[in-house]
Amino acid sequence: TGTPIMTPRLSPQKSIVIAFTLLCMTLQAGCLSWFSDKVATGVARLTVRNLAAITTAISNDTTCGFSNEQVDASYVYEGDAGGSGTATWRVENCLLEFNEWTDISTDCEGTATRVKGAVVVTAEKVVTGHLTGNPEKPAIPSTSESVTIKILSATPRNFTVKKSNNKNWLKMKNGAITGNVHIKMVMDETNGVCSIPTPNVKISDVVYTEKTDVHVSTPSNEFDVVVEDSNITAINGVYGGKANQLSGTVKIFGKTETVPMSGDTDGLDPDYSANEFKGLYACLEDIKLPESDSCDITAPLGEGAARLTVRNFGTLAKYVSDEDQCGFESPAVKASPTIYGAVGHPGGEVVYTVERCRLTFPQLTTISTDCLGKTVSVQGTVTFSGTKTVRGYITGDPENPVVPNTSLPGTLTLDAKVRNFHVVDSSSPKSLIMKTGTLKGSLTPKMMLDTTTGVCSEPTANAVFENVRLLNSEVRLESEGTLLGMTIKNMRLEAVNGVVGERENHLSGTVNVNNTDIVVPLDTENQLLDPDYHPIQFIDTYDCLPDTLIPKKEEECSFRKVLAQGAARLLVKNFGIVTKAIDLDTTCGFGNTMQLLGGLMDTELLAAYSANAPYTADWLVGQCQLNHSGVSPRAPGHTLAPVTVETDCEGTRIKIKGQATVTGRKEVTGKVALSYPPLLPQNRDSANFQFTEILFDDFAAYEVRAGETEAAGAYLILHNGVMTGNTYPVTGEASDTPGAFFIKTPVSRFENVVIRDADATLKLGAMTFHFRLDESNLDAFNGSYNGNENWLYGGLTLDGHVMPHPFDADDQSLDPEYDQAAFDATYSCKENLKETVPQAFID
């Protein structure tokens, strides 16, 4: 404390003082007794310094003191881990021996405390606060005044303490002393708890339990004195709202003196300055400045609990969404959804409901592994009820009742009772054990594109959390072996994991923890859900699934794109089958023999025949109704049976149903033959069809494979609308007439396929999709020939939306499952066909 025992003072009686001084130099003991109150005060101040040094030494000693590994591991709890109580460490008869002057501490001003001699110490260190169960940090102080070191017995042998900036010192030659040192702790900026000791201490019950010979040295005097008894209390710095105080008694020369002596108002340290004192420890590593008397960790506990509650809820929601015993993927739940909305149209909802599903994980069970190898495991018991709502097109298919139409199509809402439930993330040292309570809220995950279906249906780690609640819950926050218990009366949170819309890594809400309301996160300006969040690493956790694509724009998740691509392909298919059907139709189509002959002009035909020159013939059809019923399929009580147009070599039947009324022209160029057919084309592309009007009335064209009764794949129903376009078939060479190409094949080129003002339905199995085809303009090639193979280009307007051209830059095929060998097999058996159409380029 740096306080001289006697401070020389100038007075008018200076000569008297000098006389007394000279006398005291001769008769020291007797003279000192005349000033026993001053001696007692000085001894008290230096005794406090010595006891503080003993406390520092026993705290730092690694041989048998509190820094010894065995001592450090031998604490005793009063209370349960995770709750409140005390942790106590004890050292027994620890010999601290300093044969040379040894620095045991140095403050921020460079002032060292030095000791020499020996002392045998029995002591206890007591920390009151949160019992963590972590051997490396068994207890966290609950207040700044929760740490006490009790010197139960200190037996000195010439134990001397000096300060490098002060010449007053005290040597304890023998005897024994006890006392309690109450240490003020301050917050560690790194870990957020009061773990940094300061020199602000209260030293109480300082008692010389045996007569002790001490030697006092000051710049003006040195003397020995016997301390017979004491009871000293002091405050070094600031403690308990009091600063720099000294009080108590010291017995010397057979007299018990009150300290400090009467009139001495200097406290423990006469040179004390509050600002200078703070500077003595302001340089401590990780100290949080400005320092605060509060060591309350309620707020950081609440913040940690909030962040981990979001993780617990998200993990639970993700798991039960796919759970197939009593969760949302269980057969009973999937079989009984509630459906809102019209079949075939967007804007509908399918709601699945779970009632009291109980999940038990007796042991820590891994339930997922992400793309970086990080695992998520759960343990505990959960009983939940909830709903899973999926928004999009209502399909009418019991197995797949809804098709998502956005990147955020589904919301999971849960109300769960939890018991000892916690989630362990292998990439994080923290977890929250929910011993009891109710966990509820809703989760909306952001989806990525499944490139095989064109639907945003694969979940990512990006998600929106809404109204997440934790009620009446006893929880334990665990971090690297440290358990901290708390009571959550009420928690209400909103959060975004990753990026959704304009928000990224966001948390906001309130928590009532240990009956204290706090706003989370504590940093209200940044509002981070995960302080360690890194955008690229976050994406890497889920961006490894095959056949998936992270959409860059919301439009990429619109199912309208899939419908447009499907509609375009099926429009071309319908157009091609109409071409085939009208060409084969023998009633009013191009297959009518009388119409065929009527299209040949006798004089020109004979002239061409005589000259062996090519001849071009035209045939016209007008308002030819393919099903010939004359009645609309939509007429009340009227049903049109499907009609088989053709059966291919694989047994697949090409069928039409409904009506198509065709007006158009067929043109063929070839040599005239007095046989059938009357024209023999000399190359593969000598024919073309030009359709000026095709009127649809619930018309559909589709295929039925051999042995089956249902349509193979998707097909398009055109309820109305007008179509125009051109077909350029590629014909096969006849076996019996070399050089003549009149055998029909499915290889064709289509140009300017246009439809206007059509209401359409796309059917895929039991699924139905309705939309409006306002307009189209499509070119396509079916099969392979002369450098062309299985392509589709063009665009269309669907439900008022102009769809991009091409529909998919990575897939411009007319038939996405096209296979040349399988395609050729469909017509290779045709009568009189010499060979399938070659793929090679022909000049």
Side-chain angles (χ1 to χ4, degrees), residues 334 337 339 343-344 350 352 393-403 763-769:
K334 291 180 67 177
I339 300 174
V343 172
V350 175
Y352 301 92
Y393 282 86
I394 302 302
T395 69
D397 181 3
E399 295 295 322
N400 300 285
V402 61
V403 171
K763 297 286 286 184
L764 178 59
M767 292 193 289
T768 299
F769 303 96

Side-chain angles (χ1 to χ4, degrees), residues 737-808:
T737 313
F741 299 88
F742 57 85
I743 307 299
K744 295 178 174 64
T745 77
V747 182
S748 295
R749 178 166 59 90
F750 305 99
E751 283 187 358
N752 299 322
V753 178
V754 175
I755 193 168
R756 293 185 176 89
D757 303 325
D759 293 304
T761 297
L762 190 152
K763 297 286 286 184
L764 178 59
M767 292 193 289
T768 299
F769 303 96
H770 299 304
F771 45 86
R772 175 90 173 163
L773 291 173
D774 304 290
E775 189 174 10
S776 72
N777 192 345
L778 303 169
D779 297 330
F781 197 93
N782 191 44
S784 176
Y785 172 67
N786 211 22
N788 294 288
E789 183 178 69
N790 186 43
W791 52 256
L792 170 66
Y793 292 101
L796 54 77
T797 302
L798 187 147
D799 286 336
H801 296 271
V802 178
M803 304 310 294
H805 167 76
F807 298 102
D808 188 339

Side-chain angles (χ1 to χ4, degrees), residues 69-113:
E69 290 185 2
Q70 186 174 354
V71 172
D72 188 51
S74 301
Y75 57 88
V76 176
Y77 273 167
E78 289 186 19
D80 296 326
S84 298
T86 62
T88 302
W89 294 258
R90 186 179 178 91
V91 295
E92 291 277 356
N93 298 318
C94 178
L95 172 61
L96 304 175
E97 195 167 22
F98 305 95
N99 296 320
E100 303 293 338
W101 284 108
T102 304
D103 290 353
I104 61 170
S105 68
T106 304
D107 65 24
C108 296
E109 298 296 325
T111 300
T113 298

Side-chain angles (χ1 to χ4, degrees), residues 647-715:
T647 300
D648 69 18
C649 297
E650 298 292 301
T652 298
R653 290 156 287 163
I654 301 171
K655 288 179 171 288
I656 60 174
K657 63 180 179 180
Q659 288 182 349
T661 303
V662 183
T663 297
R665 172 175 175 267
K666 177 181 180 181
E667 180 182 276
V668 179
T669 299
K671 289 186 177 181
V672 179
L674 300 179
S675 61
Y676 185 85
L679 288 179
L680 300 177
Q682 299 302 293
N683 51 60
R684 296 183 185 277
D685 48 9
S686 295
N688 66 82
F689 297 84
Q690 303 167 29
F691 298 103
T692 56
E693 181 183 76
I694 304 173
L695 300 175
F696 294 112
D697 191 351
D698 284 350
F699 177 83
Y702 57 96
E703 298 172 351
V704 179
R705 293 194 178 97
E708 298 181 4
T709 58
E710 300 297 327
Y715 65 92

